[in-house]
Amino acid sequence: MRLTRAKISLLLKEMPLDQEVLVKGWVRTKRGSKNVAFIALNDGSTIHNLQIVADPNTIGEETLKKVTSGACIAVKGKLAASQGHGQKIELPADEIEILGEADPETYPLQPKKHSFEFLREIAHLRPRTSTFGAIYRIRHAMTFAIHQFFNERGFYNVHTPIITASDAEGAGEMFQVTTLDLNQPPRNEEGEIDFKQDFFAKPTNLTVSGQLEGELAAMGLGEIYTFGPTFRAENSNTSRHLAEFWMVEPEMAFYELKDNMDLAESFLKYLVQYALDHCADDLEFLNNRALDEEKNKKKEEKSEMTLLERLNFIVSNDFARVTYTEAINVLRNSKPNKKKKFQYLIEDWGADLQSEHERFLVEKHFKRPVILYNYPKSIKAFYMRQNDGEEPGKETVAAMDVLFPGIGEIIGGSQREERHDRLIARMEEADIPQEEMWWYLDTRKFGTTPHSGFGLGFERLLLFVTGMGNIRDVIPFPRTPENAEF
Ligand code: ATP
Ligand code: MN
């Protein structure tokens, strides 16, 4: 009878003692003596390794020599209760097959702690480390939970385009998409590049957001969400920005700003709770890893809560809801503002908030997630709904940003301007070409209604849930300025 491969996660859960099993995986470590070798085997199905016990007389010296860190092997044997500490079961090997050797002289992943910087350089191999295994499993679980959350609530997943001809989204610098020969682009009579000869007969870019198309779908389907890659050519080399990242964008007909905030808060709590419920082993590993790192930190840099405490805190506390105007007053009178500790001092109403201000509000002042709303019109996008009855110079829009500890902005959203005349006026003010946006404006001409939506940066969520410090470490193959390897 041919044995089918069993996943290590299943064996550790069900512990079918004395049964013959076949496992396959990558060797993490091998230790032991002349008489017996202990092999830690991992197949990616769980953070935990299966301990393989190999007797050189049974397996053969030659084969055992090839069992080195990074090698891929198949093992047959009968599961046994473990005598050693640290594991309940182990697999005494009857047979080991070497599927793929890994030359110890050149295999870059040694069984020791590597820096994240180094692991980024070998991003093709980092899925084999405990930390990145945990992160990618959590990334998967969060993807699944996002679809589940919306599906449970009757939202439809809409696929919005990746290539777009509108550059009006105004969310940052875009990457151009072209098939023109850049060495010899065709030119028109004025000597300008003739995009009529380009693939789409006009200039096109990679999308920065699926929102505008998401709105179109919501104005017929009711409640929708997009979950796709977005691209921003902003040259911000920070630990929270990628050039290619994934965004979740729900868009809801009949929702006003408060409904939007309620949805955002319950969405984030649901996702964090899902991670606590379904990723316990991986989170425990990351929690301990972070505790280890804390030991090397200076006192003022130490976190007040552990990763698990932070996650539990989020699900069990209400987010603070604060208007921009209230926030400006708090910031203006804050210690770091008075002592000129902020890089950007807050003086006047209308100032854009930097991440240092966002983090002060969340981490020092309110000590919980904060939803900031009703921002000055002048610092927000044209499609946000203009609030009525405000004094000239202090006009606001129904925008809301969700700010998280350690992250800053995790969600940005708003109630959308549904009034045709007000939208046109705002577009004129902001110099947004209306001809290109005729389809967007049509939704305000035909059957318009209040509606709202927001964008969650998926990697920002993962930063929070995994407790990682750099956004390059929560996406398998990060794209950042001057880096598109792998
Ligand atoms: P920030 O001010 O932090 O640069 P933003 O205001 O440009 O963000 P939005 O346009 O509101 O961001 O995008 C919605 C969400 O997408 C943000 O709340 C954030 O979570 C995420 N996000 C934005 N830019 C990036 C980026 N370059 N890399 C990763 N996530 C991003
Ligand atoms: Mn924003």
Side-chain angles (χ1 to χ4, degrees), residues 217-229:
M219 299 297 274
L221 286 163
E223 291 156 319
I224 66 95
Y225 69 105
T226 70
F227 187 178

Side-chain angles (χ1 to χ4, degrees), residues 175 232-237 241-244 472 478-486:
F175 288 100
R232 296 190 185 176
E234 51 196 359
N235 210 341
S236 38
N237 237 323
H241 288 89
L242 291 163
E244 176 182 288
R472 292 166 178 78
R479 266 74 183 108
T480 49
E482 295 182 31
N483 174 38
E485 193 69 49
F486 310 106

